[in-house]
Amino acid sequence: MPAMTAVDADTRAGGGAGAPAEAVGPLVRGVAVLRRLAGAGGTLSPGALERATGLARSTVDRITATLARMGYVRLDGRDVVLTPGVMELGNAYLAALRLPALLGARADALADELDESVSLAVPDRDGIRFIHQATRRRALSVSFRIGDLLPAERTAPGALFATEWTEEDWSRWRERRAGDPRDTAFPAVPPRPDPVPAALSDEADAVAAAFADRVRAARRDGWALDDQLIEPGLVAVSAPVHDPRTGRLVCVASVVSHTSRHPAEELPATLLPRLRTAVEAMEADLRTAPPPAPGPAPAGLATWTTASKQELGRDFVESLARGLTVLTAFGEGRSALSLTDVARATGLSRATARRALLTHEHLGLVATAAHDDRAFILTPRVLDLGFPPLSRTSLSRLAEPRLRALADRVGEAAALAVLTPDGTEVQYTAGAGTSRVLTVRIPVGARLPAAATSLGRVLLADADGPLSPELARIRTQGYALADEELESGLRSVAVPVRDRTGRAVAAVNVATHTARRTLEDCVRHLLPALHATADAIQRDLHTASRFTRVPMS
Ligand code: PHB
C-alpha cells in the first residue's frame, strides 16, 4: 500500500505540486471543490469556496454549475450544497470493493447481539476509513460515518493495519505527524491539544513509541484495543478480517463502546470473543462468496456530457464531467478495469479516459492494481468526495428541497408522508407551503386518517393482499386523488415513492383548494410535476440507501 500523507497538495488551484503534465486541470479543480464541500459538512457559499480553493470566482461558478448539472450539488440561494447524487461516486468504490455487501449483514447482526456499534474499516494510506457502520440509537454513542478518515495511531484498526507497514510507510507516517501534530487533516476526530512548542518533539516521540508498542501487541495478539485514543470514554476492540482465498488482510471489524459500559481492560474478555466468532463467520462468507455479478456499465455518459455542453455552453465544464463519470465506470464485478474497459464503459475516447485516469491517480482516487499494473482500481479516498456528510440523511431531509421546488413551481403546497405502523394513519414527515393567502398547511408530525387522504390511499394501494376496487384502480393508475373527503374545499393528488426493492415507503402530494383547480386540472397540470418530483426523491433515496441506512422519517 503506497502511504501518502493526508495533507497532500492537491487542494489549491491548478494541478498542485507534482501534477503530471497530462493532468486535466478542470478535473483537479472540480475534485478540490467537492472535497472542500465535504470537509465543510456539505454546504459552502461560493465566496467561501473561492477562499478555500484559491480559485477565481468565475471558475468556482462554472464548476458548481457543472456539478449541479451532474446532480452532485444544488444551488440553494447563496449556498452550494452537496446532494445525495454525489454518493454514486462513493457507491462505485463500495460496490467494487464488495466487502460491505458481503460482510455488512454480519456486522449488523453482531451490533444487535451486543447492543453496541460495530464497524468495518479499510486502510487508507496512514489512516483508516470506515466502509460500514452499524450504529446504535442511544444517547451516548459514537458517530463516525461511512467514509470518515481517522489517523491510524488513534484507532484500534490502525494498529492492525500498521502490522503490514513497510519502513517507507512508517517514515511517511512520521512525516505526516511532524507536519500536522494536531491532526487537522482529519476533520472527523477532535484535534489534539496544542502542544507547547518546547514539548512538541517529546510529545511526538511519546506518540510514536506508544503506537509502535500497540502495533507490536497487535501482531502478537491478533487483535487491538482503542483505550480512549480519540476521545475520553470511547473504547473499541478490533479484529482483522482476512480473505481466506488470498490470505490478505482486507478489513478490520470493530466493536465500539463506552467506558461506562465496558472498561477497556475488560474488552478482551467481554466483547472480543463474540467479535472473533463473527469474524470467523465473515471469513467463511468470503470463502464461499459467489463471483461478483457485474451490473450494467453506466451507458451513454459521453453522449450526456456532449448534450449538456451544447445546452449550457461555457457554464458546463465538460472535461470535469467526463473525468468524474470515469469513476462511475467501476462497480461490482468491475473492480479492476483496463483503459479499454473504462473507455468502453463511459463512451469516452481512450485518450480522454487515459488523461482522466492519470489525473485521478495523481489525486489519489485511482491506483494501479497490485496484480496487474495496467488495471486501475478505485481507492477508499473516493469516499472523500462527499460521502460522509450525506451518509446520515433521512428521507424527509432529502425530500425537502425537492418539495420546495415543486411548491414553487406549481404554486401549491407539497408534502411527504409515511404510513403509521398499523396502517390506519398517514404521518406528515416533510412539507413546503406557499405564500398564498389561502394555502394548505399541515404541520410536519401531524397524523391524518389514511383512507381520507390522497397520500394514505397511494400507500394503502401498495399493500399486499386483496384490495378494494378503488385501491386496485389507484394501484394501476399510479396516483390517488382526495376530493374534500378530509375537509371541504381541500383537494389533493398523491403518488408513491418507492425504495430499492420497489415497495412504496412514502408518498408525495400536492394539495389545493377546490375553487382553484378542478379534479381534471389536478391530474392534467399537477400530476406530471408531482411525478417528476417523486422520481427525483426516489433517485436520491436509491443512491443514498445503497450502502447506508436511510430512515424514512
Ligand atoms: C468506530 O467504529 O467508530 C471505531 C472503531 C475503532 C476505533 C474507534 C472508533 O478505534
Side-chain angles (χ1 to χ4, degrees):
M1 176 188 55
M4 270 183 269
T5 62
V7 274
D8 284 335
D10 62 70
T11 43
R12 303 300 297 180
E22 288 173 287
V24 182
L27 180 54
V28 174
R29 295 188 276 276
V31 166
V33 165
L34 281 177
R35 281 188 176 150
R36 291 297 172 151
L37 278 169
T43 306
L44 279 175
S45 69
L49 272 173
E50 208 182 320
R51 286 189 295 279
T53 57
L55 297 169
R57 176 57 179 266
S58 59
T59 306
V60 167
D61 288 345
R62 293 171 68 221
I63 288 172
T64 54
T66 305
L67 296 174
R69 174 70 169 196
M70 298 186 79
Y72 291 174
V73 304
R74 69 189 152 80
L75 308 176
D76 183 0
R78 303 178 58 85
D79 285 333
V80 184
V81 185
L82 286 175
T83 56
V86 79
M87 293 174 86
E88 76 175 11
L89 301 175
N91 285 348
Y93 164 72
L94 293 170
L97 183 67
R98 255 193 124 199
L99 295 173
L102 292 175
L103 308 180
R106 295 271 183 206
D108 296 350
L110 181 63
D112 286 342
E113 181 191 326
L114 301 174
D115 196 24
E116 297 286 355
S117 294
V118 172
S119 66
L120 299 175
V122 293
D124 185 354
R125 297 154 291 153
D126 62 0
I128 71 154
R129 209 181 277 274
F130 294 110
I131 56 163
H132 185 82
Q133 280 285 1
T135 40
R136 304 284 85 192
R137 281 202 181 198
R138 54 182 357 144
L140 201 59
S141 74
V142 214
S143 53
F144 290 112
R145 305 159 300 182
I146 296 176
D148 274 336
L149 178 72
L150 273 52
E153 71 279 9
R154 286 176 77 181
T155 68
L160 288 161
F161 292 130
T163 60
E164 302 197 328
W165 282 4
T166 61
E167 215 17 76
E168 201 184 339
D169 292 326
W170 280 102
S171 73
R172 287 216 179 92
W173 173 76
R174 279 189 293 269
E175 237 168 75
R176 185 261 290 165
R177 290 266 320 133
D180 183 23
R182 299 189 60 225
D183 298 339
T184 58
F186 301 89
V189 297
R192 288 179 188 269
D194 243 339
V196 275
L200 238 175
S201 69
D202 287 353
E203 188 187 302
D205 287 348
V207 168
F211 186 44
D213 280 348
R214 294 180 48 243
V215 175
R216 262 191 302 276
R219 188 176 292 121
R220 180 192 66 217
D221 301 334
W223 50 269
L225 279 186
D226 167 356
D227 184 2
Q228 310 175 73
L229 295 164
I230 296 171
E231 210 160 55
L234 192 166
V235 291
V237 59
S238 299
V241 181
H242 292 91
D243 183 338
R245 290 189 277 211
T246 60
R248 288 184 40 224
L249 170 59
V250 288
C251 68
V252 164
S254 308
V255 184
V256 194
S257 187
H258 190 269
T259 43
S260 61
R261 296 195 292 272
H262 291 281
E265 63 275 13
E266 291 175 12
L267 291 179
T270 51
L271 300 180
L272 179 63
R274 284 183 286 184
L275 171 63
R276 288 189 131 163
T277 305
V279 165
E280 277 165 28
M282 288 178 188
E283 292 179 340
D285 289 348
L286 290 179
R287 185 176 298 119
T288 55
L301 287 172
T303 322
W304 179 85
T305 61
T306 306
S308 298
K309 183 73 196 170
Q310 272 160 10
E311 197 178 315
L312 297 182
R314 75 173 248 99
D315 280 342
F316 187 76
V317 187
E318 195 173 9
S319 55
L320 167 58
R322 286 174 157 176
L324 288 176
T325 63
V326 159
L327 300 176
T328 66
F330 296 82
E332 180 174 348
R334 297 200 307 269
S335 60
L337 300 181
S338 68
L339 173 57
T340 309
D341 294 334
V342 171
R344 194 173 297 142
T346 55
L348 297 172
S349 71
R350 283 173 62 87
T352 303
R354 182 170 164 278
R355 287 191 62 197
L357 286 165
L358 287 175
T359 309
H360 286 311
E361 194 175 16
H362 163 66
L363 296 174
L365 300 169
V366 156
T368 48
H371 64 275
D372 175 2
D373 65 5
R374 280 164 314 170
F376 296 93
I377 57 171
L378 297 184
T379 73
R381 218 179 175 187
V382 172
L383 292 171
D384 253 350
L385 307 181
F387 213 87
L390 290 157
S391 68
R392 285 283 166 80
T393 194
S394 63
L395 181 60
S396 49
R397 268 232 295 276
L398 61 83
E400 250 154 33
R402 307 285 191 185
L403 296 175
R404 178 74 266 148
L406 175 64
D408 289 346
R409 182 165 154 209
V410 299
E412 308 281 4
L416 178 83
V418 295
L419 218 47
T420 54
D422 68 359
T424 61
E425 292 179 306
V426 283
Q427 180 160 33
Y428 285 71
T429 53
T434 72
S435 53
R436 303 174 90 137
V437 178
L438 185 64
T439 185
V440 181
R441 201 167 284 131
I442 297 168
V444 166
R447 291 174 171 222
L448 291 172
T453 61
S454 58
L455 293 161
R457 288 175 185 167
V458 272
L459 290 169
L460 293 173
D462 195 64
D464 293 327
L467 295 175
S468 70
E470 195 213 340
L471 288 178
R473 197 188 63 248
I474 289 171
R475 185 178 188 138
T476 312
Q477 73 190 12
Y479 66 88
L481 294 162
D483 195 23
E484 303 192 83
E485 284 94 338
L486 189 67
E487 190 171 314
S488 86
L490 185 64
R491 183 167 275 167
S492 67
V493 53
V495 300
V497 172
R498 299 183 184 280
D499 68 9
R500 293 176 62 85
T501 68
R503 201 169 66 87
V505 289
V508 267
N509 83 347
V510 173
T512 182
H513 189 267
T514 47
R516 234 170 14 229
R517 292 180 195 265
T518 62
L519 271 185
E520 200 206 346
D521 183 26
C522 286
V523 173
R524 184 169 306 163
H525 292 118
L526 297 180
L527 192 57
L530 187 58
H531 270 306
T533 299
D535 285 350
I537 293 171
Q538 208 167 271
R539 235 181 359 258
D540 282 351
L541 173 63
H542 293 183
T543 306
S545 62
R546 189 159 172 204
F547 292 105
T548 74
R549 195 169 290 153
V550 180
M552 287 303 124
S553 52

